[in-house]
Amino acid sequence: EKIYRCLHREVPHAVQQQNRLLRLDEKSVDGKGAKEDSGDILRIRQDLVVRTKSHQRLVMGSGGKTLERIRSTAIKDLETAFQCKVDLTLSVRVTKSDKEIPLDSESTGGITYTPN
């Protein structure tokens, strides 16, 4: 959603999101395992996949400003939704394939969830 809001009318026809990492790092307050909700960090690594270099430049924006705006607005919503800190890393990558990117982890090895 943030990609489309930040790019306004300049949206490339095909931007796909591919999760690389989704992990909750739980922090404990003391040695007894008591947890402090605000100490948890949700780590997300995600690729935004486009088909051309021009689309990559469009999503990145001048000096990476558009990508940073997408990232910062997404973090606000994610922190509200998950009630914890969010460490979001976005990267834009170009693919030469005309096919849709598979979303299952078996075919790409791209989606990673590591529980603590």
Side-chain angles (χ1 to χ4, degrees):
E1 172 193 3
K2 300 306 175 197
I3 295 167
Y4 297 106
R5 290 191 185 274
C6 290
L7 292 175
H8 306 289
R9 292 194 173 119
E10 302 172 357
V11 178
H13 294 290
V15 176
Q16 295 181 331
Q17 296 172 254
Q18 190 172 35
N19 289 328
R20 292 291 177 197
L21 174 73
L22 178 61
R23 180 180 68 212
L24 180 63
D25 291 337
E26 298 178 22
K27 306 293 181 196
S28 61
V29 175
D30 56 28
K32 299 176 184 172
K35 294 177 188 164
E36 178 183 330
D37 289 337
S38 63
D40 294 348
I41 299 174
L42 179 63
R43 297 191 190 283
I44 302 170
R45 304 291 178 265
Q46 193 169 73
D47 287 343
L48 304 177
V49 183
V50 296
R51 292 207 172 102
T52 66
K53 282 287 210 185
S54 63
H55 288 172
Q56 183 183 36
R57 287 190 300 271
L58 185 66
V59 173
M60 292 290 295
S62 176
K65 289 179 184 176
T66 302
L67 187 62
E68 180 54 35
R69 190 169 68 234
I70 292 167
R71 181 184 162 279
S72 63
T73 57
I75 285 174
K76 289 177 188 175
D77 286 355
L78 290 167
E79 286 180 343
T80 300
F82 292 108
Q83 296 295 305
C84 66
K85 295 284 183 188
V86 173
D87 173 24
L88 176 63
T89 302
L90 298 175
S91 60
V92 183
R93 124 179 116 81
V94 178
T95 183
K96 301 292 182 197
S97 174
D98 288 336
K99 299 177 189 174
E100 293 293 316
I101 297 167
L103 295 178
D104 60 309
S105 59
E106 288 80 24
S107 63
T108 63
I111 299 174
T112 304
Y113 174 71
T114 310
N116 285 356

